[in-house]
Every structure is written in C-alpha cells, then in structure tokens.
C-alpha cells in the first residue's frame, strides 16, 4: 500500500486500435542517412513495390546545381551507362547522372509486436505495421556500365577478326537428364537460384508518391485514427488481466510443448469426411490400395448411400476377386515415371494392369513370369505385387484378401460391368504383350462355387424358360427352313433323307438349324450372287430376320434401337469389321455404360449379326487360299510337300459349284493353317455398303474385287476402279478407299480382318 501511495496515477489515457491501414502501413528506415537529413523535401521521381516480397524501389532526384555536385563525374557516369547515343531506354536521358535509386530490404520478418502510434486529444491510436523496410542506395547502374563496356570490347574484337577463318567445329557432349527424385526437387526449390528466379517472376506494382505536406497525404493520415472511437468500445483491447499479462510476456518457445502434427500427406478421419465423397473414396483407395467394399462403407460412415459409393468406386478402382483394387493411373499419373528405372507412367500402368489381370484368373502369381512378359525391372514388378499380394515361400505371390463372394452375389450388375472392362483390358494386353488368348475364369482357384456366380443348373433353367417363350417362333422358323431346303437345287441323283426328330432333341435341332449356313452353290459369279446381302441365297430368300429385316416385334424395342445406334456409329468410323472385332468394340462400349443399362440384358451373336445387316451392311465372303491335290498325287508324300511349299503359285480359289465338282472328282483340298484362334462365326467380315459419301461407289467396287480374290495388288485395284468409275482416280482417292477397307502386307492388299495383324 505504501508503494502505491508513493506512485500515484497521474493520468489515464484511452488506447484505440486502428485497422484501416493495417495491411498497407510500412515503416521506411534509411540506415546510411542521418536522422537530421531527411528525404522529405527531395523530389521523388517514381516508386514501385512487389507486395508479396515487400520489396520497394524509389527513384529520387539529385540536385545537380548544388556546389558539392561534381558535374564532370556525373557526365562520365551517364556516358558509361548509356553510351554516346541516348534513346528512350537510357537510364539518364539528360546525359547527366541526375537521379539515384533506393532499394529496400526487410529489417525483420516478424512485425506482430510493432505499431505506429498517434496521440491526439488525450487518446492513443495504434496501427499495426505490415512491414519494416530499410532503403539503401542501389548501384545497379554500375552493372549496366560494365555490360556496355563488355559489349564494346566484343564489337571491337569482332571487327578485327572479320578476315580470320571461321572457328573450328567443336565437339559437344549430349547428356540425357535422369528423372528428378523428390529429395533433389526439394533441394532445388530451396536453392538460392530458384528463390531468385521466383522473386523475379513477381511483377512490379507502380505507385504514385505524394509528399509530406500534400493534401492527399494529410487525408491518408486520418486513417491512423480509430474510426469507431466515438463512444464505441474497442473490443480488441478488452482483455482479462491474465490475457493481458500473457500478451505482455509471452512464454518462451522452449517452454511450449510441441503438439503432435500429422504429416502433410496424411488426413485425419475428421478432415477426410469434410471432403466430397468422390475425393474421400479416391484418397482411401490410393492409400490402402486393396479393400473390400464392406470395409470401405464402414470407413465412410453409416450415413453414406451405398449406390453413390458404388458409382464412385468404379471410377478409381477395379474389381479383383470380389475386392476393389485401385486403378493404375491413380498411382501413376500422367507425366510421372518410375523412381527405380525411370520408365514412363504409361508403361508402368500397363504392367500393373497385367498383374491385376493375372489375379483375376488365379490367386497365385509368379514374379519372374510377370517380369518376363512386361520386360520391367525387378523393383517395379515387386512394387506392383506388394500393392495387392503377399509372398509365400516356394509358391509365389498370393492375393492379399480372400475371395468376397458376398459382394459378387449382392451386386451382379457391377460384376458384369467389371467383367466387360476386364475383357477390354485383356484384349489390349494380348495385343501389346502378344499373349495367347485366354478366357477369364468364372471363379478363382480354391473357391468352390461362390454364391455370386451362376451355376450350370441355373443356366439350363434360364435357357429352358427362354426356349418355351420362343417355342412358337422357333417352330415356324424351322418349318420355313425345311421348305427352303426341299426347294433348293441339288445335284441329280442326290436325295435328302428326312428322319423324324424326337421331342427331346427338337431344341438341339433348332439350335443347329440356326447356327449352320448352307454353302453357296449358285452358278452366278457376280457380286450380288456372292454376297446375298450378307447371307447365302437360301437364307436370303426367306424374308424373315435375314436380308436386313429383324424378326417381327424386335426392331422397336429399346434394346434393338440402342444396339442399332451403336452398330451404325461404329461402321461409320470403321467401314470393314470382323464379327470378333465388332464384339470387342461392343464390350468396350458396354463397359462405358452406367450400371443397369438396357444393353446389359444380353446380346447374342445372332442378334448382333442381324442388326449389322439391318443397318445397311453386307457380309463379304472372301475366298480363302486353297491347294488342290488329286487323290493320285496325295499318295506320294514328296508331291504333297512340294505342293504345300509352292502354295503361292498353285493356289486356286474354289467356290460354289466348282467346289462340289472337285469333291465329286475325289480331289482333296488342303487349306492354309488358320491365322487366328477365333471361331468361324467370329471371322465373318462385314462391310458398310452405303455411307452417303462420295466414296461409296469406289468402296463397292473394292469389295466386289475382294469377294473373288483373297489378296490383290494395288495396280489391279486401281485399274478396276478406273474401269468401273469411268474416270482416272487420283492417288489420294485410291489411298482413301484402301485405308478405309484394307491392310497391306508384303506388297499385297488384304481386306481388313482376313489376315492376322
């Protein structure tokens, strides 16, 4: 109490916090200038600032009339900097050093405890400082003078060496830079050169300078006063005693306990659930790599709709053995590369897709087999396998999770769509890696009849129900086929014996009657007799689903409309397609459709062929290469061998009645080995007959040529086109029709799909 009485309160001053200039107020210091010699009365020619770096440059005039100013030295400096010729880019336009530049540097980076104070009418107004800058004279003009001097010396040397011979050619070494690692990138970002380049990229903001006594400066100084000081309580300075003491004496950094902070690439579950659902799924799958759907739903929370999760998971993951595995392009984005070998992301994605595809076929994968096929280094292949498998000694790599039959059973539409996607990936991998065509198994090894797969009994029941529904239609079609067979022309002396068919075998006979195609024995050799609009003459005469007319009641269904739209769009892009290639494109199209689409109801090969014919396409019956060997010659093995080896010279195209005559004469036909593993139906070639463009006539002539020849030379095609079209076609027109329909091998042209690529 005694101390308080000895030190009474003399005056109480209200303190206000002004914020109008809080983000714009800088304190300028001039450390090389005495405080008594200010720059207030010196003209400021220009000012500019880089706000992010808090860097300021000021240009101030120099009093050249002052008796202390050396005029001759000023002229010499201007001459060294700008040279003898003055232009707009000159630093000193008056040919005299009449200005100097001040460049700033930060005095301190932490200005939180500094403020500018203004005392007025018993009130103290504080404005926080945004930056404290020290300005010093800049001597950049000397660097410019040195550069001018070097330019003049180089020009003089160039003039003196004009008569000399050219310099000798110097050998240079080209080096390819290795992919930059994460540590190297961090070192580069923290380097002085990188920081200088970053600072130079920020543009200057030009300012207007107003003097100390200018009316605009006086107006701006009013913002140093708190605008709400008139009777309004300043809540920023209303603190409790403990808070005020903490502000005056903050704890030292050593006393503060560091709070555990998660790495920058790790999100807590609370932070994760603030993101959109698609981002949540992507982050989880990218970190976990392999996850069952039930675990994913438990991580996302009970309030999340499973349908939305299914829609999102298919964008970032693929289904493998009932579990979801993150897609390769998520782990290896575009323009990235392998940290081990520097292989680009495209090759890594293809190799990892091959590993995932192998796990769709079996629970076990051997690393050496994967490396032999993908031609990738051991470290890259090991990374692929560690994402989704565990190593077992003397066995290989086993898929990390058990088969999830519950998900397969609950979501058959998703499983079917994923199967379509894997079919497309399989076709791509077979083409890239030259794999033997394999069919994806319906269930992995070690699983006995998962509940999600359709058993054989169920398939039989479904087939029987469909057969009963279409029984009447099938019976009428069978009767019509029998009438066509009776009415067809046969050779003299040949009788067709009809036997009764049992009721049990009736369905099998109907199926065989649908699949078989009678051989074309017509005597006409024209294009229309060979094509028969995509089918032999016997079937084309029926008037049912052939000749481009689908069965009654089918053309108007949504499935038929969708299928026809796909077929028409596909043949507008690719004029000639085999059935196998069309099926592959259709599978890729199915994979791009959303779950539950009408096309997922099941499209048979027969329905696809009928739709192709209904869309204006025709089947091209390309004759295959044959070798004719008589029964007498066949007895001698060396003759047979000679005929096979000289098949290029002795091949004969046989079709129609000629084939029957050879058979009656006991002549054997030896065909070349098949060039593809596809079934005969899948090897059928279809072509768009009319597309509505100027090349229709040229394309039809070309297809007619290939209906009689397996392979043709270009000069024959060009002469036939000129003969049929009545005018000489340019090279570009011939190239276009050949590119649309044909491929070239060994100087010969083949119709697309008739040779193995």
């Amino acid at each position: 109490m005694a101390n308080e009485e000895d030190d009474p309160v003399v005056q109480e001053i209200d303190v206000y916090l002004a914020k109008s200039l809080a983000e714009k107020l800088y304190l300028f210091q001039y450390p090389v200038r005495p405080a008594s010699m200010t720059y207030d009365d010196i003209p400021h020619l220009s000012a500019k600032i880089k706000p992010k770096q808090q860097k300021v440059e000021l240009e101030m005039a120099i009093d050249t009339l002052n008796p202390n100013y050396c005029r001759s030295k000023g002229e010499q400096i201007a001459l060294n900097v700008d040279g003898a010729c003055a232009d707009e880019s000159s630093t000193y336009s008056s040919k005299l050093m009449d200005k100097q530049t001040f460049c700033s540097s930060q005095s301190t980076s932490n200005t939180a405890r500094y403020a500018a104070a203004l005392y007025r009418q018993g009130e103290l107004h504080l404005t926080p400082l945004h930056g404290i800058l020290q300005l010093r004279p800049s001597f950049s003009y000397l660097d410019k003078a040195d550069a001018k001097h070097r330019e003049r010396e180089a020009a003089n040397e160039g003039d003196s060496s004009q008569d000399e011979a050219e310099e000798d050619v110097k050998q240079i070494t080209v080096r390819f830079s290795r992919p930059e690692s994460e540590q190297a990138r961090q070192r580069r970002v923290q380097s002085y050169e990188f920081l200088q380049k970053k600072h130079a990229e920020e543009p200057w903001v030009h300012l207007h300078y107003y003097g100390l006594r200018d009316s605009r400066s006086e107006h701006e100084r009013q913002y140093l006063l708190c605008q709400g000081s008139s009777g309004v309580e300043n809540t920023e300075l209303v603190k409790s005693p403990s808070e005020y003491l903490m502000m005056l004496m903050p704890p030292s950094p050593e006393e503060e306990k560091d709070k555990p902070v998660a790495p920058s690439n790790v999100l807590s579950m609370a932070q994760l659930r603030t993101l959109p659902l698609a981002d949540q799924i992507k982050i989880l799958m990218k970190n976990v790599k392999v996850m069952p759907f039930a675990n994913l739903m438990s991580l996302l929370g009970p309030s999340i709709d499973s349908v939305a999760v299914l829609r999102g998971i298919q964008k970032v993951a693929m289904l493998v053995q009932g579990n979801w595995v993150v897609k390769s392009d998520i782990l290896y984005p575009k323009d990235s590369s392998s940290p081990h070998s520097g292989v680009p992301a495209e090759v890594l994605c293809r190799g990892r897709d091959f590993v995932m595809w192998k796990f769709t076929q079996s629970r076990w994968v051997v690393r050496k087999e994967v490396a032999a096929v993908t031609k990738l280094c051991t470290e890259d292949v090991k990374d692929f396998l560690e994402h989704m498998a565990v190593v077992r000694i003397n066995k290989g790599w086993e898929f990390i999770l058990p088969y999830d039959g519950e998900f397969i059973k609950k979501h058959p539409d998703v499983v079917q769509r994923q199967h379509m996607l894997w079919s497309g990936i399989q076709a791509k991998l077979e083409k890239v890696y030259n794999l033997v065509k394999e069919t994806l198994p319906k269930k992995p090894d070690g699983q006995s009849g998962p509940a999600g797969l359709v058993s054989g009994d169920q398939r039989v029941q479904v087939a029987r129900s469909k057969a009963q529904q279409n029984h009447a239609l099938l019976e009428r079609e069978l009767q019509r086929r029998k009438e066509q067979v009776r009415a067809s022309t046969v050779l003299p002396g040949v009788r067709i014996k009809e036997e009764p068919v049992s009721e049990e075998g009736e369905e099998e006979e109907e199926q065989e009657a649908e699949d078989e195609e009678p051989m074309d024995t017509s005597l006409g050799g024209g294009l229309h007799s060979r094509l028969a609009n995509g089918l032999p003459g016997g079937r084309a005469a029926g008037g049912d689903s052939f000749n481009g007319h689908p069965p009654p009641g089918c053309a108007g269904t949504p499935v038929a409309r969708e299928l026809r739209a796909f077929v028409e769009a596909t043949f507008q892009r690719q004029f000639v397609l085999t059935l196998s290639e069309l099926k592959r494109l259709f599978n890729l199209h199915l994979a791009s459709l959303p779950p539950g689409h009408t096309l997922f109801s099941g499209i048979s090969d027969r329905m696809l062929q009928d739709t192709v014919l209904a869309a204006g396409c025709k089947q091209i019956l390309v004759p295959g290469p044959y070798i004719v060997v008589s029964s007498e010659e066949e007895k001698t093995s060396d003759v047979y061998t000679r005929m096979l080896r000289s098949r290029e010279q002795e091949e004969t195209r046989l079709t129609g009645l000629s084939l029957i005559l050879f058979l009656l004469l006991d002549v054997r036909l030896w065909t070349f080995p098949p060039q593809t593993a596809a079934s005969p139906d899948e090897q059928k070639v279809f072509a768009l007959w009319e597309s509505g463009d100027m090349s229709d006539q040229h394309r039809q002539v070309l297809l007619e040529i290939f209906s009689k020849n397996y392979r043709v030379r270009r000069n024959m095609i060009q002469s036939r086109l000129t003969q049929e079209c009545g005018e000489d076609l340019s090279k570009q027109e011939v190239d276009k029709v050949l590119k649309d329909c044909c491929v070239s091998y060994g100087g010969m042209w083949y119709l697309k799909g008739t040779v193995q690529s």
Side-chain angles (χ1 to χ4, degrees), residues 252 318 438 448 621:
S252 61
M318 297 291 293
E438 300 177 7
S448 58
L621 300 179

Side-chain angles (χ1 to χ4, degrees), residues 5 35 55 75 233 261 326 376 397 421 438 455 479 501 516 625 629 678 739:
E5 292 176 357
K55 185 176 181 180
E75 292 176 351
E233 184 180 17
V261 179
V326 64
L376 293 174
W397 291 78
L421 285 173
E438 300 177 7
S455 64
Q479 294 297 330
V501 182
E516 67 179 0
V629 182
K739 183 179 178 182

Side-chain angles (χ1 to χ4, degrees), residues 111-126:
T111 59
R113 302 178 64 181
Y114 296 92
L118 182 62
Y119 182 75
R120 180 173 295 183
Q121 298 178 1
E123 298 175 348
L124 183 64
H125 298 262
L126 301 178

Side-chain angles (χ1 to χ4, degrees), residues 314-358:
Q314 295 183 69
K315 297 178 180 179
V316 298
M318 297 291 293
L319 192 65
V320 178
Q321 300 190 19
N323 301 282
W324 291 99
V325 181
V326 64
K327 288 184 176 180
S328 301
D329 54 359
I330 302 296
L331 296 179
Y332 303 106
K334 190 178 180 182
D335 298 331
S336 63
S337 60
S338 168
H340 305 294
S341 59
V343 173
E346 181 182 0
V347 180
L348 293 176
C349 291
R350 190 162 57 233
R352 188 173 181 274
D353 287 345
F354 176 73
V355 174
M356 295 168 61
W357 173 72
K358 291 290 287 183

Side-chain angles (χ1 to χ4, degrees), residues 648 711-714 743-750 755-756:
E648 296 292 334
R711 58 183 182 179
V712 190
R713 294 192 180 275
R714 180 189 175 95
V743 292
S744 176
Y745 291 102
M748 303 294 291
W749 287 89
Y750 301 81
V755 292
Q756 187 178 14

Side-chain angles (χ1 to χ4, degrees), residues 36 63 218 236 345 403 413 429 509 515 532 608 728:
S36 59
D63 186 7
E218 182 64 30
E236 293 289 339
Y403 186 84
D413 54 338
L429 293 175
E509 182 180 350
D515 294 338
L608 186 59
D728 291 336

